[in-house]
Amino acid sequence: KRLSHSVDQTFSLCIPPPNVTGTLHLGHALTVAVQDALVRWRRMQGYRVLWVPGCDHAGIATQTVVERRLLRETGKCRQDFNREEFLQEVWKWKNEKGEEIYHQLRRLGASLDWSRACFTMDPGFSRAVTEAFVTLCDSDLIYRSENLVNWSCALQSAISDIEVETKDVSGPTMMSVPGYENKVEFGNMFTFAYTVEGCDSEVPVSTTRPETMLGDVAVAVHPDDPRYQAFHGQWCRHPFTNRLIPIITDTIVDMELGTGAVKVTPAHDFIDFHLSQRHSLLRPSVIRGDGTMEPLCGQWLEGVKRFDARQLVVNALAEKKLFRGKKNHTMTLPICSRSGDIIEPLLKKQWFVRCDTMALKAIQAVEDGQLEIIPSHYTKTWVNWLSSISDWCISRQLWWGHQIPAYQVELPSSTTKEEELWVWGKSEKEARQRAAVKYGLNPDDISLRQDPDVLDTWFSSALFPFTMLGWPEKSSDFLRFYPNSVLETGSDLIFFWVARMVMLGSELTGQLPFRQVLFHSLVRDKYGRKMSKSLGNVIDPLDVIHGVSLK
């Protein structure tokens, strides 16, 4: 029975949408328990309460699960299907398994409004994602650019900065890497020499990644380093490609590290990429998206896996009497949190969200007291992270997810591969109209090709507080329950989810998506680790309710 509301006030919040692939663990149960207490308390006070359940399509995780299942059951991999066929398999899996989370939530006794349950790939939600992308592109807050991205060779996709974890190694360490039968050794610094053209001198350079030296376009030294003063502006001969590469000076070089001279490989290193921008250097890629060496490296390396190529390059340098040894080195490895792969920085054309001005507004909201973060010590974390935020790469090379509503334009007159021309729109028809206006042509004379990539799952999740209420339509739910009263979640989602909701919500709706953020602590095991299926330390809340055998 619907109770009358004794006070003319509303209270609304959304559940952090769990991944459709997963099942809930005790961490989720804590979130649900805290939220359930809040909404029951407000109902008792006579508020009009809305608590919306939802589920996230979890692009990478879901696609990986379905690919494994297909390989196990049919012996086929994703590439054996066309996109439509594969997506049918994902939907089939989602319809079988995707309700599991809702069953668990019901068994937990969560007093959610089930009539409004939403899934991030529902047609209405997908329309809102398209609307958001197009609006942000029109405002120049989304742009396309060739840039270095964090690339996972195992997933063959870019991932964003905050999906990269780090592992410290102090000297030689054997590690498992996806796609390699044997473990790979990390924690070494290799030194080899470049001969200076026109004299008998050499410049020794140190690197932890000798396999990338085929993409070297310069050697950089510090302008004040006395060892290399005589070589400023000179050229070195590349031992394998025979190219001449310049010796450049830059204050970014650390004179104390290695030999004080560094190889510059702009297509595979973030610092080197910035150097290439400052010194107008070329950026040849030598590693492909699958982690094998490019044809550019020569027949002896083409198609060889990157870490196997490492030893081949070292051997070849030794043969040319240019190898100067290796020593133990303490280093930090970037790891893909999704696949456990070692991240390979690669040069890719992708879509990025311009974050700087939105981040400043999100800081301002907290400093002005419009947005309250509880416990307040997270405010410092919030300000620090948003102050140094980089632009957010939102392209993912997957099939499961929201296909990017941007279209590459081919004009009837263009014969050469000139620079890419792009338009975006809420539909292909709208994109065609926009292209016709932009290039002064008849719409029928234009051919369009939609970007095959999909959007980062966190892009759609960031729209949840308003999309669940029918945005971009000004529905009665939206007018009554937006902004949400509070956001309650685990502190580990402060950047992945909360900051992005605040940035995109403020930009797209003109107001903050909620007034308060309430963080709870994380449920951890006795070693202080978060619950994770891969660690095997997960406890199912239903086992706590009903009991479970020791086995």
Side-chain angles (χ1 to χ4, degrees):
K1 148 175 174 322
R2 291 197 175 272
L3 299 172
S4 59
H5 301 101
S6 59
V7 291
D8 187 26
Q9 277 182 287
T10 59
F11 185 77
S12 58
L13 76 164
C14 63
I15 195 166
N19 284 356
V20 71
T21 52
T23 47
L24 302 184
H25 57 60
L26 272 192
H28 298 106
L30 176 61
T31 305
V32 171
V34 174
Q35 292 189 355
D36 199 42
L38 286 170
V39 298
R40 287 174 189 270
W41 170 57
R42 285 301 191 202
R43 283 195 199 106
M44 287 158 70
Q45 292 175 321
Y47 280 61
R48 186 186 294 274
V49 170
L50 179 66
W51 185 24
V52 179
C55 221
D56 188 275
H57 67 276
I60 293 172
T62 305
Q63 182 162 313
T64 306
V65 165
V66 175
E67 282 191 52
R68 279 196 204 124
R69 175 182 165 171
L70 287 171
L71 194 61
R72 199 171 58 241
E73 292 177 5
T74 67
K76 291 180 177 176
C77 62
R78 173 169 60 109
Q79 288 73 14
D80 296 327
F81 297 84
N82 66 33
R83 189 171 186 143
E84 285 311 306
E85 292 166 343
F86 180 76
L87 290 178
Q88 277 175 353
E89 293 292 334
V90 183
W91 277 108
K92 204 162 83 183
W93 179 88
K94 190 264 169 192
N95 295 331
E96 280 172 29
K97 298 281 189 211
E99 293 298 305
E100 178 65 26
I101 282 166
Y102 288 167
H103 292 315
Q104 284 180 299
L105 287 169
R106 283 189 159 100
R107 300 289 281 282
L108 283 169
S111 55
L112 288 148
D113 187 337
W114 291 105
S115 67
R116 289 178 171 85
C118 66
F119 175 52
T120 50
M121 289 286 283
D122 286 342
F125 209 109
S126 297
R127 276 195 300 278
V129 170
T130 298
E131 174 90 23
F133 182 90
V134 170
T135 304
L136 293 168
C137 277
D138 287 343
S139 311
D140 197 34
L141 287 169
I142 288 181
Y143 64 94
R144 186 172 172 83
S145 160
E146 184 171 54
N147 226 318
L148 264 199
V149 296
N150 299 299
W151 186 266
S152 165
C153 298
L155 299 171
Q156 292 205 34
S157 176
I159 59 171
S160 70
D161 294 359
I162 53 178
E163 289 168 305
V164 178
E165 292 173 348
T166 53
K167 181 174 172 65
D168 293 324
V169 297
S170 52
T173 307
M174 302 303 288
M175 286 176 60
S176 299
V177 179
Y180 290 80
E181 280 179 31
N182 301 322
K183 290 189 171 185
V184 179
E185 187 176 59
F186 296 94
N188 293 308
M189 179 74 88
F190 301 84
T191 301
F192 68 92
Y194 272 120
T195 53
V196 180
E197 189 70 0
C199 66
D200 292 336
S201 305
E202 64 176 42
V203 176
V205 294
S206 296
T207 177
T208 56
R209 311 187 54 214
E211 67 278 11
T212 63
M213 66 85 67
L214 277 295
D216 287 2
V217 293
V219 172
V221 296
H222 194 287
D224 303 335
D225 193 328
R227 294 169 290 183
Y228 304 114
Q229 295 272 311
F231 299 131
H232 294 186
Q234 303 257 41
W235 297 78
C236 295
R237 179 72 66 180
H238 196 290
F240 302 122
T241 64
N242 221 20
R243 280 196 315 266
L244 282 174
I245 61 174
I247 298 173
I248 60 171
T249 60
D250 200 291
T251 51
I252 203 168
V253 178
D254 181 353
M255 290 191 267
E256 306 300 313
L257 188 65
T259 62
V262 294
K263 59 195 269 318
V264 180
T265 321
H268 299 282
D269 183 277
F270 288 97
I271 293 172
D272 294 2
F273 182 75
H274 292 306
L275 276 171
S276 76
Q277 289 174 313
R278 280 214 288 275
H279 297 273
S280 307
L281 300 168
L282 293 172
R283 300 167 191 151
S285 286
V286 293
I287 297 173
R288 293 188 280 213
D290 63 357
T292 61
M293 304 304 282
E294 289 271 16
L296 175 81
C297 302
Q299 279 185 319
W300 64 293
L301 282 181
E302 183 185 344
V304 176
K305 292 180 184 175
R306 55 188 170 147
F307 298 127
D308 295 340
R310 179 171 294 182
Q311 195 54 49
L312 293 181
V313 170
V314 168
N315 295 348
L317 285 165
E319 214 170 285
K320 288 182 181 286
K321 302 200 168 23
L322 293 170
F323 187 60
R324 299 290 175 265
K326 71 171 184 180
K327 56 175 196 263
N328 299 357
H329 180 62
T330 299
M331 61 190 291
T332 303
L333 284 171
I335 312 271
C336 167
S337 62
R338 305 287 186 170
S339 65
D341 197 10
I342 307 293
I343 290 294
E344 186 62 54
L346 288 189
L347 201 53
K348 295 279 178 186
K349 286 180 176 162
Q350 311 273 275
W351 296 93
F352 292 85
V353 175
R354 215 183 286 284
C355 292
D356 47 3
T357 51
M358 289 195 285
L360 285 175
K361 288 178 193 168
I363 292 172
Q364 200 67 47
V366 168
E367 290 178 343
D368 293 350
Q370 298 164 22
L371 178 66
E372 185 186 10
I373 297 178
I374 307 165
S376 57
H377 65 255
Y378 284 109
T379 304
K380 192 176 172 192
T381 315
W382 180 268
V383 172
N384 286 349
W385 186 71
L386 286 168
S387 304
S388 57
I389 195 170
S390 50
D391 287 353
W392 169 21
C393 172
I394 51 171
S395 297
R396 296 290 176 274
Q397 290 64 38
L398 306 170
W399 283 354
W400 173 242
H402 300 106
Q403 194 172 348
I404 294 176
Y407 301 80
Q408 193 169 358
V409 183
E410 278 190 28
L411 304 177
S413 57
S414 67
T415 48
T416 55
K417 281 278 176 220
E418 298 150 32
E419 62 169 312
E420 296 181 349
L421 307 173
W422 288 87
V423 288
W424 42 86
K426 292 167 199 167
S427 63
E428 186 171 332
K429 188 179 172 188
E430 183 183 289
R432 191 175 292 286
Q433 287 302 131
R434 286 174 169 231
V437 172
K438 193 170 177 180
Y439 301 111
L441 287 164
N442 181 337
D444 300 334
D445 295 338
I446 293 169
S447 61
L448 295 181
R449 187 184 69 88
Q450 188 173 357
D451 191 329
D453 292 352
V454 300
L455 289 163
D456 179 4
T457 306
W458 291 104
F459 183 82
S460 46
S461 306
L463 314 177
F464 210 84
F466 42 101
T467 303
M468 71 177 191
L469 301 171
W471 182 89
E473 310 304 323
K474 295 278 191 280
S475 65
S476 55
D477 271 2
F478 181 82
L479 296 170
R480 181 178 284 159
F481 292 111
Y482 189 79
N484 299 179
S485 312
V486 69
L487 179 88
E488 198 287 329
T489 189
S491 54
D492 53 337
L493 292 183
I494 185 167
F495 308 135
F496 278 110
W497 193 44
V498 185
R500 287 163 170 178
M501 280 190 285
V502 169
M503 291 196 294
L504 295 190
S506 308
E507 191 59 42
L508 293 165
T509 69
Q511 42 189 338
L512 288 166
F514 29 75
R515 301 178 195 94
Q516 273 187 327
V517 178
L518 182 57
F519 286 126
H520 61 252
S521 308
L522 304 185
V523 177
R524 298 183 182 272
D525 67 12
K526 67 178 179 181
Y527 305 107
R529 303 175 305 182
K530 274 172 39 173
M531 295 218 156
S532 130
K533 270 197 282 194
S534 57
L535 289 174
N537 62 356
V538 170
I539 296 171
D540 183 336
L542 299 188
D543 290 344
V544 177
I545 296 168
H546 302 298
V548 66
S549 71
L550 183 61
K551 187 178 174 190

